[in-house]
């Protein structure tokens, strides 16, 4: 019998809340690399909120995962067979290998990692797509100015924690929103936020808005949008004129069959306060990735940017860890250790 690999495929499309029944763990024959390809044994794979969107049919900025297809994911691992002189067995790389024990990819689509410079898991979080998203969204669309106030939710996650730390370093007052007292304590003690509010402790948007007003006495200049929902509704009345809103994500709505947007009220605030609202998807901005690494990798190495990782064990536990992350069960960047 040929050598086998394991992968998790999309078994069915969720309606509303996703569940473990939407995934299936399968064995498959281990592929061999062709000319210009590498076969990679995945050590860690990334779990990210965007994957929930890929489980839905229909048009978005990226095509959906088809039923029976391997779920999409970035991973880091070791080259075990190579069809190219550019990479040798034993090299570590980052690539889109899916929810799988092994991945086959063209050499042009993987990035070589140096495990001596930074732990390979950082390529999935603080120095990877989420950290880069935070850096780009904050600078390009938030345009932070010393003395201003910034609010960000999912404050202890890889995007939110990076946004908060960079904004603090730029001299802003930074107020986080996170799920639970422990995460709020982490935001303040570990990531240096000035304050953090537990969104679960407020029954509705007006109650959270009142608490935000108390923590943001000069109003809010930048709302780095990660979640939508109740937090967005609570932030808008507190926005200052000419505020900026980088629209990075809206996870509170990813599991809903309907979005529940209160669009007219939201748009009125945007109009009457002359707010700049920028949606962006980080895949369109990778020309700036080297600039991000040059600036942020030394800060991570020096401990001036802190990061947390939440590591689930084994491919079979990926669906459970993913579903938990979508509800706030993760603390820090959610990854899965495969070997
Ligand atoms: N535009 C882009 O290119 C791009 C790239 C990367 C990420 N994103 C987006 O950025 C956001 C953060 O991503 P991440 O990777 O850093 O995720 P993350 O923080 O590791 O995980 C998601 C977090 O969202 C919070 N959350 C879930 N449901 C919520 C709700 N109803 N209300 C408030 N918070 C809720 C939970 O944190 P709490 O327990 O603290 O509430 C959960 O831990 C996501 O919306 C993601 O889709 C966008």
């Amino acid at each position: 019998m040929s050598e086998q690999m394991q992968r998790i495929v999309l078994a069915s499309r969720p309606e509303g809340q996703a569940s473990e029944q939407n995934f299936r763990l399968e064995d498959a024959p281990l592929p061999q690399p062709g000319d210009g390809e590498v076969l990679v044994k995945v050590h860690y794979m990334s779990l990210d909120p965007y994957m929930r969107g890929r489980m839905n049919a229909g048009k978005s900025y990226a095509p959906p995962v088809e039923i029976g297809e391997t779920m999409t994911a970035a991973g880091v691992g070791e080259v075990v067979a190579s069809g190219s002189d550019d990479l040798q067995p034993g090299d570590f790389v980052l690539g889109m290998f899916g929810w799988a024990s092994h991945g086959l990819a063209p050499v042009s689509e993987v990035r070589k990692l140096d495990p001596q410079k930074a732990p390979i898991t950082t390529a999935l979080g603080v120095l990877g797509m989420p950290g880069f998203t935070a850096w780009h969204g904050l600078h390009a669309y938030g345009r932070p100015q010393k003395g201003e106030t910034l609010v960000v939710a999912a404050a202890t996650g890889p995007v939110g924690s990076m946004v908060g730390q960079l904004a603090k370093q730029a001299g802003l007052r930074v107020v986080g929103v996170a799920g639970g007292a422990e995460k709020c304590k982490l935001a303040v003690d570990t990531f240096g936020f000035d304050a953090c509010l537990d969104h679960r402790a407020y029954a509705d948007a007006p109650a959270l808005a009142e608490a935000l007003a108390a923590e943001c006495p000069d109003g809010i200049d930048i709302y780095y949008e990660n979640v939508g929902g109740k937090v967005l509704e609570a932030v808008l009345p507190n926005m200052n004129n000419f505020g900026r809103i980088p629209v990075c994500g809206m996870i509170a709505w990813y599991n809903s069959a309907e979005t529940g947007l209160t669009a007219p009220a939201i748009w009125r605030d945007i109009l009457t306060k002359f707010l700049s609202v920028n949606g962006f998807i980080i895949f369109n901005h990778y020309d700036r990735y080297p600039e991000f690494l040059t600036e942020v990798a030394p800060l991570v190495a020096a401990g001036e940017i802190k990061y947390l990782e939440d590591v689930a064990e084994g491919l079979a536990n990926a669906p459970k860890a993913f579903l938990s992350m979508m509800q706030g069960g993760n603390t820090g960047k959610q990854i899965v250790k495969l070997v």
Side-chain angles (χ1 to χ4, degrees), residues 71-329:
M71 283 291 297
T72 314
V76 288
E78 188 182 348
V79 174
V80 288
S82 178
S84 162
D85 290 339
D86 294 342
L87 287 171
Q88 312 306 325
D91 285 342
F92 281 91
V93 292
L94 165 74
M96 295 303 291
F97 305 126
W99 293 28
S101 62
H102 294 75
L104 191 67
V107 171
S108 58
E109 290 177 19
V110 303
R111 191 162 69 80
K112 192 173 173 184
L113 300 172
D114 182 351
Q116 303 303 320
K117 280 199 176 146
I120 57 171
T121 54
T122 60
L124 302 175
V126 65
L127 293 176
M129 184 277 284
F132 176 44
T133 301
W135 177 87
H136 176 72
L138 177 66
H139 291 305
Y141 314 116
R143 301 185 299 280
Q145 301 293 320
K146 194 170 179 199
E148 290 187 331
T149 298
L150 173 142
V151 170
V152 62
T156 59
V159 175
S161 62
M162 176 69 92
V163 166
Q165 291 180 89
L166 292 175
K168 270 310 288 177
Q169 292 182 1
L172 281 79
R173 175 169 175 78
V174 174
V175 177
V177 177
E182 279 197 16
K183 284 191 181 180
C184 283
K185 192 170 168 355
L186 272 176
V188 173
D189 294 351
T190 302
F191 295 121
F193 284 52
D194 294 291
C196 185
L197 296 171
D198 173 7
H199 62 85
R200 297 182 201 279
Y202 299 92
D204 53 19
L208 182 57
E210 206 179 309
L212 274 169
E215 293 296 352
C216 305
D218 299 328
I220 300 168
D221 301 293
I222 304 170
Y223 171 51
Y224 190 102
E225 170 67 306
N226 274 340
V227 303
K230 185 170 78 179
V231 181
L232 172 60
E233 279 187 61
V235 163
L236 279 170
N238 288 300
M239 287 297 297
N240 290 332
N241 289 353
F242 299 104
R244 284 86 66 202
I245 304 182
V247 178
C248 175
M250 42 195 84
I251 191 168
W253 289 314
Y254 292 176
N255 269 318
S256 324
E258 295 170 29
T259 60
L261 272 169
T262 54
I266 286 172
W267 283 106
R268 193 174 313 115
D269 267 315
I270 290 170
L271 174 68
T272 59
K273 294 179 180 183
F274 330 115
L275 305 182
S276 299
V277 177
N278 287 90
F280 71 99
I281 296 296
I282 200 62
F283 304 147
N284 298 323
H285 303 282
Y286 266 83
D287 55 325
R288 298 196 70 197
Y289 188 60
E291 196 187 331
F292 160 71
L293 282 184
T294 303
E295 184 181 316
V296 179
L299 297 175
V300 173
E304 287 169 37
I305 290 279
K306 303 203 167 28
Y307 66 99
L308 299 173
E309 293 175 339
D310 198 331
V311 186
E313 293 281 337
L315 184 62
N317 280 320
K320 199 197 278 184
F322 173 65
L323 298 170
S324 164
M325 176 188 74
M326 297 302 292
Q327 308 272 8

